[in-house]
Amino acid sequence: MSRRKFLKTGALGIGALLTSKITANNNTISIPLFNATKGKPIVISTWNHGTAANKAAWKVLNTGGTALDAVEKGVRVTESDATNRSVGLGGLPDREGKVTLDACIMNHENECGAVAFLQDIENPISVARKVMEDTPHVMLVGKGAFQFAMAQGFPKRDLLTPEAKKAWLKWKESEEQKKPEVNSENHDTIGMLAMDEDGNISGACTTSGWAYKLHGRVGDSPLIGAGLFVDNEVGGACATGLGEAVIRIAGSHTVVELMRHGKSPDEACQIAVERIIKKHKDIKGLQVGFLAINKQGEVGGYSVYAGFNYAIKSKKIKKLKDAAYKMEW
Ligand code: ASP
């Protein structure tokens, strides 16, 4: 079974069964909970790896912690998962066999931090947070980002696992490498958005990027406004998929601005996807998905192609949801 098919069929769907129980005449009846995704605290994140990440984020949110701590703790789980081929440790490398990582984080005060083209550090999201909190800058890249991480006491670690190395060596021998394409098997990212008990929103986005990319390539994921954007007056958004396409429309910022002008999270994500489709002459195989949350705690998502899903966790909901989409593969 292809991974995407698995993603579609493997949804937990627990939320779909959620009901509210009311008692009348000593009989308990169940009614569906409409707008069940509303309410704080809440955390959402991209893809099925979001379920485990949400669990860690929820521990923070459920004990009165901040959205910022929640998103950092949450996505660290995915970064440190050696079996995940698209984020942090175990991520697929670039054409030269180097695992290079992109990440950013943004809080409810429009403060943000990012690292790009970072190597040998397992948890780039925490380095991004340090950039935000301990420097006057927003973004550090490459060797400079690595030196900063070392100075901050982050351990150095080779992120290329034997399995990822094997996949890269196989790719090098294949025909595919002559014509690099983003397809459903060679990319993914964790983007996470959380709203805490105080109603504050933060977000995080982290990836090893497009597998077998050119050495030095940076995608949308560490770019504030593209891979992630939060405006605490309005909401937050994050992106996954072909970063180049997301950058071209400043994707996550676009989604937040659409919500500012009254669109729901679902509608805002859909309009951003439609803009990507409109701005690309050839959309064939170009997957992008957006995820969004607004100030009311409503969430939504939308993708170019079928198969994008996201994990939701709140007091009432634990669910992996298939996003609506424009096209079938
Ligand atoms: N957006 C990421 C990038 O372009 C990859 C992905 O989400 O699939 O690097």
Side-chain angles (χ1 to χ4, degrees):
M1 191 190 287
S2 80
R3 192 165 54 84
R4 277 291 181 276
K5 280 200 189 116
F6 170 79
L7 291 180
K8 273 193 83 77
T9 53
L12 292 174
I14 298 165
L17 302 173
L18 274 180
T19 53
S20 175
K21 288 197 166 61
I22 57 170
T23 305
N25 299 332
N26 287 332
N27 292 321
T28 302
I29 56 168
S30 294
I31 53 163
L33 267 180
F34 296 105
N35 285 328
T37 52
K38 275 194 180 185
K40 56 189 184 185
I42 184 167
V43 58
I44 54 173
S45 54
T46 54
W47 304 114
N48 62 339
H49 51 217
T51 302
N54 279 2
K55 197 174 165 192
W58 184 252
K59 267 191 199 153
V60 178
L61 294 172
N62 201 31
T63 50
T66 65
L68 182 65
D69 285 340
V71 295
E72 183 193 7
K73 289 241 162 51
V75 302
R76 278 176 64 102
V77 170
T78 323
E79 289 180 335
S80 295
D81 178 357
T83 64
N84 187 303
R85 292 278 161 274
S86 56
V87 183
L89 178 69
L92 290 170
D94 64 15
R95 298 176 76 87
E96 295 177 15
K98 304 265 193 297
V99 182
T100 73
L101 305 177
D102 296 339
C104 72
I105 194 161
M106 189 161 189
N107 72 11
H108 64 287
E109 292 180 311
N110 273 65
E111 293 164 342
C112 42
V115 290
F117 192 48
L118 175 63
Q119 297 180 52
D120 298 321
I121 300 290
E122 185 173 322
N123 295 115
I125 199 66
S126 296
V127 186
R129 183 168 176 176
K130 283 278 179 201
V131 173
M132 173 174 94
E133 289 178 342
D134 293 358
T135 81
H137 309 305
V138 166
M139 182 180 243
L140 295 177
V141 304
K143 208 171 155 194
F146 175 76
Q147 285 165 349
F148 172 75
M150 289 284 101
Q152 293 285 331
F154 286 86
K156 183 175 183 220
R157 179 163 188 186
D158 182 4
L159 304 176
L160 186 65
T161 58
E163 294 77 17
K165 188 174 179 183
K166 208 170 140 194
W168 168 64
L169 290 171
K170 194 170 160 208
W171 169 82
K172 274 205 348 165
E173 295 309 312
S174 72
E175 282 298 306
E176 264 176 75
Q177 61 101 7
K178 293 180 189 125
K179 196 172 152 277
E181 268 180 8
V182 159
N183 61 46
S184 59
E185 305 297 325
N186 68 3
H187 65 95
D188 276 0
T189 288
I190 183 147
M192 178 179 276
L193 302 161
M195 182 190 278
D196 59 31
E197 202 67 70
D198 293 335
N200 289 324
I201 300 170
S202 287
C205 189
T206 175
T207 191
S208 52
W210 183 350
Y212 319 130
K213 60 196 172 186
L214 286 176
H215 188 61
R217 181 264 189 186
V218 169
D220 61 315
S221 307
L223 303 182
I224 296 296
L228 175 72
F229 195 71
V230 173
D231 183 328
N232 202 43
E233 290 171 29
V234 178
C238 59
T240 181
L242 184 67
E244 282 74 1
V246 176
I247 294 168
R248 286 178 68 184
I249 67 147
S252 294
H253 180 261
T254 293
V255 172
V256 172
E257 291 309 298
L258 285 161
M259 291 194 293
R260 190 191 305 276
H261 294 290
K263 300 297 178 196
S264 71
D266 272 328
E267 288 167 341
C269 293
Q270 177 170 353
I271 294 168
V273 161
E274 284 166 352
R275 190 172 300 172
I276 284 183
I277 293 170
K278 191 173 158 204
K279 301 287 177 189
H280 284 78
K281 288 187 193 83
D282 184 8
I283 201 75
K284 195 169 157 277
L286 189 165
Q287 176 65 314
V288 167
F290 289 108
L291 201 53
I293 183 169
N294 67 14
K295 205 57 188 163
Q296 289 71 50
E298 295 168 321
V299 303
Y302 199 87
S303 57
V304 178
Y305 283 96
F308 173 47
N309 59 0
Y310 57 99
I312 309 169
K313 178 75 187 104
S314 69
K315 280 200 176 97
K316 293 175 181 158
I317 286 194
K318 181 178 173 239
K319 177 180 183 180
L320 192 60
K321 185 179 160 108
D322 287 328
Y325 55 88
K326 201 80 192 168
M327 293 184 251
E328 296 283 350
W329 282 96

